[in-house]
Amino acid sequence: MMRLQRSFVLPLLSLSAPLCASDVSPCCSVDYTYLTLSLLILILLIIAGILRTYALRTRLTQLKNELHNRDDQAKLTEILFENNSDPIIISDIDTNEHVVRVNSAFEKLTGYSSDEIQGKKLNILYSGHHDKAYYEGMKNAINLHGSWEGEIVDRHKSGYLFSKWLTIRTLFHEDGHPYRRIAIFSDLNDDQESRQKIWYQANFDLLTALPNRNLFMYRLEKELHEIERTRLPLALMFLDLDNFKEVNDSFGHDEGDVLLREAARRITQCVRKNDIVSRLGGDEFTIILPGVNDELVIDKIAVSLLSELARSFDLHGEKAFISASVGIAVAPTDGLSAEVLLKHADQAMYSAKKEGRNRYHYFTPMMQDALHKRHQLADEMREAIKNGEFVLYYQPILHVESKTIHKAEALIRWMRHDGTLVSPADFIPLSEDTGMIVELGKWIFDEVSTQLKVWREHYDPTFQISINISPVEFRSDSSQCLKLSELIDNQSLPADAIVVEITEMVLMEQSDATIKTLQKFDHRGITLSIDDFGLGHSSLAHLKKFDVTFLKIDKTFVRDLETDNDNRILCEAIAIMAHRLGIKVIAEGVETAAQRNYLESIQCDYIQGYYIARPMPSDEFAKRFFHPIVKT
């Protein structure tokens, strides 16, 4: 190129010199020819450069338009994806078909947000409605053809099932390698009523209206996950009706259905509000008991179930009798998956059948052993009531200001004929669970009434004895609570001779029966004392509502008075509050002089505990604390 430029310059410079005819030599014609050729080449090069510049600009404009169009297409695709009324899922084949993206319609249909579903496998929607073969067929079709279409039932995040039409397509790279799956749903349950009907049929037993196996397994898994948060055990009961086949064969299937519906109703009435009763099929039922921190709750429900199902069934005028065998498994001890726990409860149920039916059996040997001992103690207790093995001990209550004793608390003791004592901590809860507390309560009242008449006549005409009324006894229709005032009159005792001690729980219960009884106590002038005050949640409003005479500060606060400043402050606050309301204060569990001195300093009215005396038989009590009345 540089050589061409030089060749152009030299001829052009020669044009600047003057020319004349005489100067013309034969070589001049050569210069004109060379000049013409050079100019022609120069013009061609300039035109070629212009054409190349124009082509480059045209290509740049085309690329700019193509990129602009692609951006528009991407935006359009994004708008169509997000605003499509049909739910769409995009999954990545290279990452084992985990979800890459979902649109807002998917979130509305399934209840799962994009953040919850992204990176997860689609089995999060599995309902259990289809068997394994159904999904294998779907998988084979996709691998063979790259696509699949069909109806499928999935589970919403909240638990209900919904039906949809599913279309799956596969996207391929240019080399033919699959890299994306696109799934599009069409909801088949547009009508809400139809949708609810399908959900109900898929999750509930049509005969009993109880959750079926499908919903039961879902709820069980959910409750098992809750154990990690609550740290409270869960019990699963597997209940099978004994002799149901014989009833079904004898009375017919229609009457058998009547019995199953009634059995379902009775089972539901035996459990707590948050427990879940299901019918697995046939004569098999399950009960989920979440948040169980006391095995006595399990036992109480199991006993109630056996009792209710052993009652006769009225089948259109005919009486039918069955019983039940109940197996119990407890999570996490007996398993943390729904399948394992159900299997163990089933095994425990068969153990109950082998042992004679009409009973319940734990899967864990240790719990079964505890159950056996509990049943044995209950049998012994019934015999002890008949044989008169129960006695009353009396613990004195000291009036702090006068240093005199005009009150005592009656405490029941179980003394076997061999002289051994059974702890009240063992037999009192058992008596409440079995209902024997009602019979014991009647015996205690009769004994105290008899003792009071003797002591008032011979020693102290103003003497009071406190008796504890169990919450179970308070609620019982057969309890003497409502008739207490009449019973006191029948014993020729004044209304204030017996102090009725109830817990804060009874005061707070506020049921119609409780309010009616307390109002009757108030009307008849029966002295009322609140036991274990400070452990519950009673309010001033409840204390003012009924005529409460005494508050008993619980021994757990008294025990640490010497070392715990908070307990000292609490005891003082209770005393001040009670006195402002005109209520006297009794502190129980007093064991040391230091405790007595502090309670005296906060003007506690009465103290009770080992520092004064342990509970003792009536004859010993009379010898230590009474002097005969000298009649003049």
Side-chain angles (χ1 to χ4, degrees):
M1 184 69 183
M2 294 299 297
R3 286 195 296 270
L4 281 174
Q5 288 175 348
R6 291 193 193 98
S7 66
F8 289 141
V9 173
L10 290 175
L12 289 173
L13 288 175
S14 65
L15 292 176
S16 62
L19 294 176
C20 62
S22 58
D23 294 331
V24 175
S25 63
C27 64
C28 288
S29 60
V30 175
D31 292 335
Y32 281 115
T33 302
Y34 186 74
L35 176 62
T36 302
L37 181 61
S38 297
L39 288 172
L40 181 60
I41 292 172
L42 178 61
I43 291 170
L44 290 174
L45 289 172
I46 291 171
I47 292 172
I50 293 171
L51 291 174
R52 280 197 303 272
T53 301
Y54 177 77
L56 180 60
R57 287 180 177 177
T58 302
R59 180 56 182 157
L60 287 173
T61 301
Q62 289 175 343
L63 289 173
K64 183 178 179 180
N65 290 336
E66 287 178 9
L67 290 173
H68 184 71
N69 290 336
R70 288 178 184 176
D71 186 50
D72 286 345
Q73 289 177 359
K75 290 180 180 178
L76 180 60
T77 301
E78 180 69 18
I79 292 171
L80 291 173
F81 178 80
E82 282 299 331
N83 293 277
N84 199 311
S85 59
D86 289 332
I88 302 174
I89 303 176
I90 301 175
S91 60
D92 186 6
I93 297 175
D94 293 333
T95 59
N96 200 19
E97 302 203 20
H98 285 77
V99 174
V100 176
R101 284 197 65 185
V102 298
N103 64 353
S104 57
F106 173 88
E107 295 177 336
K108 291 178 182 178
L109 178 65
T110 66
Y112 289 97
S113 67
S114 178
D115 292 338
E116 289 177 304
I117 200 75
Q118 190 169 349
K120 301 285 196 311
K121 296 196 71 174
L122 286 178
N123 58 12
I124 194 173
L125 299 176
Y126 283 5
S127 64
H129 182 78
H130 306 285
D131 58 17
K132 186 177 180 181
Y134 188 86
Y135 291 107
E136 287 293 333
M138 179 195 299
K139 183 178 179 181
N140 292 335
I142 294 172
N143 291 336
L144 185 62
H145 306 292
S147 62
W148 182 87
E149 285 189 34
E151 183 177 351
I152 193 167
V153 177
D154 276 343
R155 185 180 295 280
H156 190 274
K157 182 182 177 182
S158 62
Y160 71 80
L161 304 186
F162 63 93
S163 182
K164 67 189 183 186
W165 187 263
L166 177 62
T167 302
I168 299 176
R169 296 287 184 269
T170 305
L171 299 182
F172 297 88
H173 284 298
E174 292 181 359
D175 60 1
H177 178 71
Y179 72 102
R180 289 284 192 274
R181 299 240 198 264
I182 297 180
I184 302 176
F185 301 167
S186 296
D187 188 6
L188 298 180
N189 303 317
D190 293 332
D191 182 73
Q192 185 66 21
E193 184 177 348
S194 174
R195 183 173 182 167
Q196 289 297 326
K197 184 177 180 181
I198 292 173
W199 175 79
Y200 186 86
Q201 291 175 345
N203 292 280
F204 284 85
D205 173 54
L206 299 181
L207 177 65
T208 63
L210 294 175
N212 61 14
R213 177 184 286 269
N214 183 50
L215 185 55
F216 156 72
M217 293 298 288
Y218 172 75
R219 294 293 300 273
L220 180 56
E221 287 284 8
K222 189 174 181 181
E223 293 297 339
L224 287 170
H225 288 309
E226 279 292 294
I227 291 179
E228 298 179 6
R229 183 182 65 83
T230 64
R231 303 296 180 185
L232 292 176
L234 173 149
L236 175 63
M237 291 183 170
F238 194 113
L239 186 151
D240 184 85
L241 301 181
D242 303 324
N243 304 319
F244 175 72
K245 185 178 183 301
E246 288 79 357
V247 172
N248 214 26
D249 293 342
S250 301
F251 291 89
H253 292 290
D254 290 342
E255 298 302 320
D257 288 348
V258 172
L259 188 148
L260 287 173
R261 282 193 292 268
E262 174 61 15
R265 188 190 67 80
R266 294 185 190 183
I267 292 170
T268 304
Q269 288 185 334
C270 291
V271 302
R272 304 168 301 173
K273 289 183 179 179
N274 62 328
D275 296 334
I276 303 161
V277 180
S278 306
R279 182 190 177 209
L280 297 190
D283 59 351
E284 294 180 339
F285 297 84
T286 55
I287 307 165
I288 302 172
L289 308 176
V292 177
N293 57 1
D294 187 349
E295 67 184 61
L296 295 181
V297 174
I298 306 173
D299 291 342
K300 186 175 181 180
I301 292 174
V303 169
S304 180
L305 286 169
L306 297 180
S307 176
E308 283 297 309
L309 293 173
R311 291 192 298 109
S312 64
F313 288 79
D314 184 5
L315 304 181
H316 296 99
E318 297 286 339
K319 297 291 184 184
F321 292 88
I322 61 168
S323 59
S325 297
V326 181
I328 304 170
V330 180
T333 307
D334 299 334
L336 262 177
S337 73
E339 292 79 8
V340 170
L341 203 64
L342 182 61
K343 176 185 175 183
H344 289 167
D346 188 24
Q347 290 176 359
M349 183 272 293
Y350 277 107
S351 295
K353 281 193 178 294
K354 290 178 182 178
E355 291 179 5
R357 303 184 179 187
N358 192 29
R359 65 193 64 226
Y360 62 102
H361 196 287
Y362 283 97
F363 174 77
T364 305
M366 183 174 65
M367 295 188 74
Q368 184 59 32
D369 183 56
L371 173 64
H372 176 71
K373 291 179 179 178
R374 181 176 167 79
H375 284 169
Q376 186 177 9
L377 186 63
D379 291 338
E380 292 176 4
M381 189 173 178
R382 291 186 183 92
E383 290 298 315
I385 294 175
K386 294 177 184 178
N387 298 331
E389 294 182 11
F390 287 93
V391 297
L392 284 183
Y393 277 28
Y394 297 89
Q395 186 170 35
I397 300 173
L398 176 72
H399 185 248
V400 175
E401 185 177 359
S402 67
K403 305 296 189 294
T404 58
I405 291 173
H406 301 282
K407 293 168 58 65
E409 181 179 1
L411 300 167
I412 190 169
R413 296 291 185 262
W414 179 1
M415 183 175 290
R416 292 190 171 105
H417 288 311
D418 61 4
T420 60
L421 280 171
V422 180
S423 171
D426 292 331
F427 73 81
I428 292 294
L430 181 61
S431 70
E432 291 178 330
D433 291 338
T434 59
M436 285 187 277
I437 190 65
V438 175
E439 188 173 357
L440 284 177
K442 181 181 183 305
W443 177 82
I444 291 171
F445 176 82
D446 291 340
E447 287 291 308
V448 167
S449 298
T450 302
Q451 193 64 69
L452 263 173
K453 284 191 290 186
V454 173
W455 284 353
R456 279 191 165 226
E457 181 181 353
H458 296 285
Y459 304 112
D460 186 348
T462 64
F463 201 81
Q464 285 182 323
I465 296 180
S466 301
I467 60 173
N468 293 282
I469 304 293
S470 162
V472 175
E473 188 182 0
F474 212 87
R475 302 184 198 107
S476 173
D477 293 336
S478 59
S479 170
Q480 298 178 106
C481 286
L482 276 172
K483 301 180 291 183
L484 191 58
S485 59
E486 289 84 349
L487 292 170
I488 291 175
D489 290 341
N490 292 339
Q491 295 285 352
S492 301
L493 291 170
D496 64 349
I498 294 179
V499 178
V500 175
E501 290 194 7
I502 63 173
T503 64
E504 285 184 271
M505 182 174 65
V506 172
L507 189 67
M508 290 292 292
E509 192 174 74
Q510 294 295 288
S511 66
D512 291 340
T514 301
I515 293 173
K516 184 178 179 181
T517 303
L518 290 174
Q519 286 175 341
K520 192 164 185 179
F521 285 179
D522 192 11
H523 179 70
R524 291 288 289 121
I526 294 175
T527 305
L528 189 64
S529 177
I530 307 301
D531 197 12
D532 302 333
F533 189 81
L535 296 180
H537 303 85
S538 62
S539 66
L540 296 179
H542 289 92
L543 294 176
K544 290 168 63 179
K545 187 173 182 179
F546 303 104
D547 188 14
V548 176
T549 304
F550 299 104
L551 288 186
K552 295 189 78 171
I553 300 176
D554 187 71
K555 57 178 173 283
T556 56
F557 302 115
V558 174
R559 181 178 57 223
D560 298 324
L561 278 178
E562 298 171 56
T563 57
D564 192 326
N565 187 56
D566 289 342
N567 280 358
R568 289 197 293 269
I569 294 172
L570 179 61
C571 289
E572 184 177 5
I574 292 174
I576 293 172
M577 177 198 68
H579 290 150
R580 292 271 178 89
L581 293 172
I583 300 173
K584 295 180 175 63
V585 179
I586 303 172
E588 62 179 351
V590 181
E591 298 183 356
T592 66
Q595 292 171 352
R596 180 208 60 187
N597 293 338
Y598 178 77
L599 292 167
E600 186 175 0
S601 72
I602 63 172
Q603 298 181 340
C604 191
D605 301 284
Y606 296 88
I607 59 174
Q608 174 184 353
Y610 288 178
Y611 179 75
I612 308 302
R614 292 174 177 268
M616 61 192 73
S618 59
D619 55 350
E620 183 180 342
F621 188 98
K623 289 178 183 178
R624 289 188 57 178
F625 300 106
F626 289 144
H627 299 286
I629 296 175
V630 178
K631 296 182 180 181
T632 58

